[in-house]
Amino acid sequence: MNIDPGSHVPIYLQIADAVRAAVAAGVYQPGEPLPSLRAMAVEVHVNPNTVQRAYDELQQAGLVGSQRGRGVFVADRGASVARLAAELGVRRGLEEAVRAAQLAGMDPPQIRDLFGAVLERMTHEGRQSS
Amino acid sequence: MNIDPGSHVPIYLQIADAVRAAVAAGVYQPGEPLPSLRAMAVEVHVNPNTVQRAYDELQQAGLVGSQRGRGVFVADRGASVARLAAELGVRRGLEEAVRAAQLAGMDPPQIRDLFGAVLERMTHEGRQSS
Amino acid sequence: MNIDPGSHVPIYLQIADAVRAAVAAGVYQPGEPLPSLRAMAVEVHVNPNTVQRAYDELQQAGLVGSQRGRGVFVADRGASVARLAAELGVRRGLEEAVRAAQLAGMDPPQIRDLFGAVLERMTHEGRQSS
Amino acid sequence: MNIDPGSHVPIYLQIADAVRAAVAAGVYQPGEPLPSLRAMAVEVHVNPNTVQRAYDELQQAGLVGSQRGRGVFVADRGASVARLAAELGVRRGLEEAVRAAQLAGMDPPQIRDLFGAVLERMTHEGRQSS
DNA sequence: GTGGTCTAGACCACA
DNA sequence: GTGGTCTAGACCACG
């Protein structure tokens, strides 16, 4: 759960993305509770309101449900929703990258090589920094 | 030179990115002038100040140089700078995508498949909308 | 924080220089916030946009980092960056002066005398107006 | 006569400064003509209007005088005027540098060291690039 | 409250 | 004509 306060992407979205990834990865199982607002706020050194907004985001996406006075829980379909959303996000990122490369005049072979190189480097020994 | 005023990415950055890509692709050659602030402003239906901020961005990157009273010109090393910046941007986008996929629990084979599918679809018979 | 609106050097650069000097001198410590855009704007009797441009300048130099909704903070390495930048600026000014003197045909001894005289007058019992 | 079109200092001032330095150094003697507008314009790759403005500057300073249809000539007192102006310019540059150093929190000894180092490097073997 | 973007319009210096 | 600066004021997203 690494948050970068200096990033251009809003903190609440960073939190939401991180939780979404965690649910997709099975860290939080359907039916399990997410950390409380306060706990999460302390963990990422952030205002509880910001965590609230992140949880709202997830709830709106149908990934979690909140129960008054008890907390927020991963929805039954939460895992699949998270996985779909994650794949969609990755796909969009890739499409953006390809489009940027094309606009800059890179040839398809160049683009393929670049993709291959990045994949090679990041998945070969699978040191996926959390 | 397509600008989306409703995008979450600032207009001035969209302009800067578009010009950078154009320089990388050889549309504007080193020594040649970019469209004047006012001309570009008219072209993209935007305030001249916004265009100037975009040009400022490019100037700080060493891609262009401005001469008061004359215009903004592509720097001698502008083309190579633009190509490097473009490749760096694409590379970063890819790395972000891979990292997101890994965080979401996707296996290397899954990631490779996804990358391959996107590449296939977007570069086959490459109709790269300009 | 003295700003001269009639100077040939842009206000936003005067502000940036003043803040840079303040950081170099330890007035603002790493981790501490700069005055808010609006507060600084009031202080120097200038439009907030002008202050923001000054802060942008400092941010690009890696001297400060801005966090939307929170403020602008001196970067961890901000103090050293500021000191380096300050020394570089002074050095460049000196080199320019020497070069100008040489082009005007002044002999090394003359130049040394002139340097010594200025130094003497300005650093003896240094009443360095802040 | 090196002109930098990308500098923040106006070309006409760069030309005026260069000519002033040349007069101070005795390259152009009192009574001698300066290069014609067109000749100078060709030499520095600049619009004749720009050279005109530079010459106007010098004339206003009493450094040269223009004679209708004959050209501009170094004034009798031109050499001394140029030397005074040059020294004044250098002195001001030095004072600015000292003030900047003081604002950045440098101690007098540090400033003296810096001055000494720059002087040492630039005047020791006196390779004063023209 | 904070910073960030954009506009409209003014004025300036320069070539 | 060009680029550069500044203002006033609006609107937005974020914390």
Side-chain angles (χ1 to χ4, degrees), chain B residues 15-57:
Chain B
I15 297 174
D17 288 343
V19 173
R20 184 181 294 112
V23 172
V27 176
Y28 300 119
Q29 301 281 345
E32 288 181 2
L34 255 40
S36 82
L37 290 181
R38 295 157 176 86
M40 179 66 90
V42 167
E43 186 183 338
V44 297
H45 305 102
V46 115
N47 189 291
N49 288 338
T50 305
V51 177
Q52 194 180 37
R53 190 161 178 191
Y55 283 12
D56 276 353
E57 201 77 13

Side-chain angles (χ1 to χ4, degrees), chain D residues 27-43:
Chain D
V27 176
Y28 299 121
Q29 301 282 346
E32 286 183 3
L34 255 41
S36 77
L37 285 184
R38 279 177 291 279
M40 179 67 87
V42 167
E43 185 185 340

Side-chain angles (χ1 to χ4, degrees), chain A residues 73-115:
Chain A
F73 297 80
V74 178
D76 290 342
R77 54 198 171 104
S80 60
V81 168
R83 275 193 292 270
L84 280 176
E87 187 186 321
L88 185 63
V90 172
R91 177 169 254 119
R92 282 191 181 155
L94 294 178
E95 290 170 348
E96 249 179 59
V98 174
R99 187 173 154 281
Q102 289 174 334
L103 284 175
M106 292 179 67
D107 298 341
Q110 287 178 289
I111 300 178
R112 288 168 186 277
D113 285 353
L114 187 52
F115 268 58

Side-chain angles (χ1 to χ4, degrees), chain A:
Chain A
M1 188 65 71
N2 289 331
I3 262 61
D4 174 14
S7 166
H8 68 284
V9 33
I11 293 178
Y12 82 95
L13 279 184
Q14 293 185 44
I15 297 174
D17 287 343
V19 174
R20 183 181 295 115
V23 172
V27 175
Y28 299 122
Q29 300 283 344
E32 287 183 4
L34 256 39
S36 77
L37 285 185
R38 279 176 293 278
M40 178 66 88
V42 168
E43 185 186 340
V44 297
H45 303 100
V46 118
N47 192 302
N49 291 337
T50 304
V51 179
Q52 174 73 64
R53 192 160 178 185
Y55 282 10
D56 284 350
E57 194 80 9
L58 297 170
Q59 188 170 359
Q60 203 172 359
L63 218 138
V64 303
S66 83
Q67 303 181 14
R68 289 265 315 248
R70 297 195 51 233
V72 295
F73 297 80
V74 178
D76 290 342
R77 54 198 171 104
S80 60
V81 168
R83 275 193 292 270
L84 280 176
E87 187 186 321
L88 185 63
V90 172
R91 177 169 254 119
R92 282 191 181 155
L94 294 178
E95 290 170 348
E96 249 179 59
V98 174
R99 187 173 154 281
Q102 289 174 334
L103 284 175
M106 292 179 67
D107 298 341
Q110 287 178 289
I111 300 178
R112 288 168 186 277
D113 285 353
L114 187 52
F115 268 58
V118 171
L119 266 177
E120 185 79 13
R121 183 161 58 79
M122 296 188 70
T123 65
H124 199 12
E125 283 300 323
R127 71 185 72 78
Q128 48 187 91
S129 65
S130 90

Side-chain angles (χ1 to χ4, degrees), chain D residues 13-101:
Chain D
L13 280 185
Q14 292 186 44
I15 296 174
D17 288 343
V19 172
R20 183 181 294 113
V23 171
V27 176
Y28 299 121
Q29 301 282 346
E32 286 183 3
L34 255 41
S36 77
L37 285 184
R38 279 177 291 279
M40 179 67 87
V42 167
E43 185 185 340
V44 297
H45 302 99
V46 120
N47 190 303
N49 291 337
T50 304
V51 179
Q52 173 73 62
R53 192 160 178 184
Y55 282 11
D56 284 349
E57 195 80 8
L58 296 171
Q59 188 171 359
Q60 203 172 359
L63 218 138
V64 303
S66 81
Q67 302 180 13
R68 290 266 313 251
R70 296 196 51 235
V72 295
F73 296 80
V74 177
D76 290 343
R77 53 198 172 104
S80 60
V81 169
R83 275 192 292 270
L84 281 176
E87 187 185 319
L88 185 64
V90 172
R91 177 169 254 120
R92 281 190 181 157
L94 293 178
E95 290 171 348
E96 248 178 62
V98 174
R99 187 173 156 280

